[in-house]
Amino acid sequence: MTRAISLHAVSKSYTRGARVVDRLSLDIRPGEFLVLLGPSGCGKSTVLRMIAGLEEIDEGELLLDGEHANDLLPADRRMAMVFQNFALYPSMTSRDNIGFPLRIEAPGDDPRPRVEATARMLGIEELLDRFPGQLSGGERQRVAMGRAIARRPTAFLMDEPLSNLDAKLRNHLRAEISGLTRTLGVTTVYVTHDQAEAMSLGDRVAVLRGGVLQQVGTPRTVYALPRNVFVAAFIGTPRINLLRGVVRAPLDGAMTISLGKQFLRLPEPLSLDHQLLRVQQGREVIVGLRSEAVRIGDRAAARPGETHITGLVEHVEFQGHEMLVHFNTGSRPAVVPDLEAPRPVPPGRRRRREGGTVLERLRGRVDALRAGPVVTVEEPDGPAEEPAPPEGRLPGDLIVRTTPDLALRHGMQVPLLVDIAHLFVFDQHGDRICPAPARLPDLEE
Ligand SMILES: Nc1ncnc2c1ncn2[C@@H]1O[C@H](COP(=O)(O)OP(=O)(O)O)[C@@H](O)[C@H]1O
Ligand SMILES: [Mg+2]
């Protein structure tokens, strides 16, 4: 009794002309754990509510097990929602809270056996006679889960169910949710803005930005083959290093990517992906290097496929088991504007009542962020205005992970080796061009 959930070009607007979900297509397999990931305001909850039937679908189609379901009543979809605010009835015991949906669904039946079996599964038998006010946050969330499970739904829809809990409990419940949904084999759509949570939970992760699906794939794929610079930057900690570069492909010399003061030399013979970069000769690109693609090491220690540059130590973040070293390599970081959400203008303030040009400009800016290229690139007539470096220092443009025992101090010049096999290149619109994208239609590789 588990469901396949398909969205075909589904769109939604709350105010005319402003789509908060834009032609979203997604096929969720029966029993799959799919995570919807994206910054706050990107439309995740709206998608979930459309699947649940709590929000009307403006355009496009929802299919449940292959059948048109746009107009199916929420109750007939037999899905269970879990929210971050737990939503328990304060005047009911845990037992009654869990049993409530059962009593609604089958008024004649005795809900007790099902309630108790559910409580056993969740290890909350001793909480059954307490009221929500007598439970901790984590216990309340377990009871809320119990209420969702007891009905044996055909799908779980979870909207940031753990974001109100402290980190330790979150990790614990995360593991529980994962175990539970897999034991039950029920299709689960889980919404979060936390990429670490998405990566650890999902069979697949669907990344949304401004209502538009960016990519869907296994955690491994979205990390290793991000389709664009937004996905690359949203997933992974520390955040991927993104540097502005220019492709240099002279006919008679080695191919390089200039990073301003230094360059990355692409190892010969050129790989197929690097050969394809030739057409970018002279163009500005964005170079993406995850922290594991760079290590401290002398030119003489270079392995095949590694190229060397140097970096000036700006700042060292000691983390106990490792260090994050911020280097200045003389390159210019690329900016991904709406990683932390394009703070949408609240709908009430969108109207032109005050006739404010500021509002109009703000709206224009939001729209531009939504639709425009992912990355701001250098103005044609000179470099864009740089943010003032903190405390008179240049911001480090490259973060490298090292063992914690290196004696590195601010101002040291350090040799670095870049593993070119782990190099990403994105074009000016932010689309990945190296490794070359696979030509699959559904944004999956
Ligand atoms: N009922 C509503 N009326 C008007 N605008 C809404 C409503 N619900 C959500 N929005 C807007 O739609 C966008 C997406 O919201 P939401 O789906 O809640 O995003 P997320 O869950 O990713 O944070 C936001 O800009 C939000 O302000
Ligand atoms: Mg939300």
Side-chain angles (χ1 to χ4, degrees):
M1 269 302 276
T2 182
R3 282 228 136 121
I5 302 169
S6 292
L7 299 161
H8 287 310
V10 162
S11 297
K12 175 79 192 172
S13 314
Y14 291 109
T15 45
R16 263 185 49 171
R19 281 184 173 166
V20 298
V21 176
D22 195 0
R23 285 160 290 180
L24 175 69
S25 293
L26 201 54
D27 284 313
I28 307 166
R29 302 159 194 147
E32 182 176 25
F33 196 118
L34 182 109
V35 179
L36 271 180
L37 173 69
S40 139
C42 73
K44 304 180 295 297
S45 296
T46 302
V47 173
L48 210 62
R49 292 168 60 79
M50 287 192 289
I51 295 174
L54 302 174
E55 205 72 73
E56 217 173 292
I57 294 170
D58 291 348
E59 285 170 55
E61 189 176 26
L62 168 73
L63 298 168
L64 298 177
D65 293 331
E67 303 210 355
H68 183 84
N70 288 40
D71 311 310
L72 208 58
L73 289 173
D76 295 335
R77 302 184 189 201
R78 294 191 47 84
M79 296 176 172
M81 279 195 97
V82 183
F83 301 97
Q84 78 180 60
N85 53 10
F86 315 144
L88 294 174
Y89 298 106
S91 60
M92 287 184 195
T93 60
S94 304
R95 186 187 302 280
D96 291 340
N97 261 295
I98 296 173
F100 186 74
L102 296 174
R103 285 201 299 275
I104 300 275
E105 211 167 67
D109 296 356
D110 179 6
R112 273 176 303 181
R114 190 82 80 78
V115 170
E116 269 149 33
T118 305
R120 257 196 309 283
M121 191 185 256
L122 289 164
I124 53 170
E125 293 127 299
E126 72 283 9
L127 305 179
L128 281 178
D129 295 311
R130 291 205 215 157
F131 291 91
Q134 302 167 313
L135 301 172
S136 73
E139 289 168 340
R140 254 179 272 168
Q141 192 58 319
R142 277 209 186 86
V143 174
M145 285 289 296
R147 190 166 63 179
I149 294 167
R151 284 174 56 212
R152 308 236 173 107
T154 58
F156 288 125
L157 307 176
M158 306 198 185
D159 196 348
E160 315 225 14
L162 305 181
S163 54
N164 278 350
L165 306 173
D166 66 64
K168 199 167 148 225
L169 191 57
R170 206 158 54 217
N171 282 339
H172 186 75
L173 282 178
R174 204 191 269 174
E176 255 177 39
I177 287 180
S178 168
L180 203 64
T181 53
R182 284 175 172 94
T183 307
L184 296 169
V186 173
T187 313
T188 303
V189 186
Y190 187 104
V191 160
T192 182
H193 64 272
D194 178 346
Q195 60 90 24
E197 189 160 290
M199 300 292 271
S200 71
L201 277 175
D203 293 327
R204 286 188 305 158
V205 177
V207 184
L208 272 183
R209 169 184 178 245
V212 179
L213 182 66
Q214 305 292 299
Q215 185 170 11
V216 50
T218 62
R220 203 173 283 277
T221 302
V222 291
Y223 184 82
L225 289 171
R227 199 172 153 267
N228 59 35
V229 76
F230 178 83
V231 176
F234 201 79
I235 288 174
T237 45
R239 184 176 290 183
I240 190 171
N241 297 292
L242 294 170
L243 310 173
R244 299 187 197 182
V246 178
V247 175
R248 302 282 178 217
L251 288 175
D252 55 347
M255 191 163 153
T256 61
I257 300 176
S258 161
L259 297 176
K261 300 213 168 66
Q262 308 191 58
F263 56 84
L264 297 173
R265 188 189 172 113
L266 303 183
E268 308 266 359
L270 291 178
S271 69
L272 189 60
D273 283 325
H274 294 157
Q275 288 173 39
L276 291 173
L277 274 182
R278 262 190 198 288
V279 296
Q280 303 291 330
Q281 150 62 21
R283 292 211 195 121
E284 258 214 58
V285 292
I286 298 138
V287 171
L289 291 171
R290 294 214 187 266
S291 62
E292 62 267 26
V294 188
R295 66 185 179 110
I296 294 177
D298 203 79
R299 191 172 183 169
R303 299 177 192 131
E306 281 183 332
T307 185
H308 71 278
I309 55 173
T310 64
L312 195 66
V313 177
E314 291 290 347
H315 171 59
V316 178
E317 269 181 69
F318 182 70
Q319 309 244 310
H321 64 296
E322 65 178 14
M323 292 197 306
L324 300 178
V325 186
H326 298 236
F327 288 104
N328 176 0
T329 63
S331 61
R332 288 154 41 77
V335 183
V336 186
D338 59 350
L339 264 189
E340 305 308 334
R343 298 272 163 245
V345 187
R349 282 172 44 200
R350 281 186 177 223
R351 287 185 207 111
R352 285 197 53 195
R353 238 191 282 130
E354 296 115 359
T357 52
V358 177
L359 281 181
E360 271 205 331
R361 249 184 284 149
L362 210 53
R363 189 207 306 204
R365 212 175 109 67
V366 170
D367 291 345
L369 282 175
R370 285 256 170 89
V374 185
V375 168
T376 55
V377 287
E378 213 160 327
E379 259 82 281
D381 48 346
E385 208 177 309
E386 299 283 340
E391 296 146 28
R393 278 199 209 163
L394 283 168
D397 50 41
L398 188 74
I399 300 178
V400 178
R401 213 183 237 149
T402 74
T403 54
D405 50 356
L406 296 179
L408 295 174
R409 282 187 318 279
H410 171 69
M412 283 173 118
Q413 191 81 35
V414 176
L416 299 171
L417 294 168
V418 178
D419 180 1
I420 295 296
H422 283 102
L423 171 78
F424 292 118
V425 183
F426 304 94
D427 68 14
Q428 293 203 29
H429 305 288
D431 292 326
R432 196 189 77 226
I433 49 178
C434 176
R439 306 243 164 262
L440 290 182
D442 63 350
L443 311 183
E444 215 165 345
E445 285 184 281

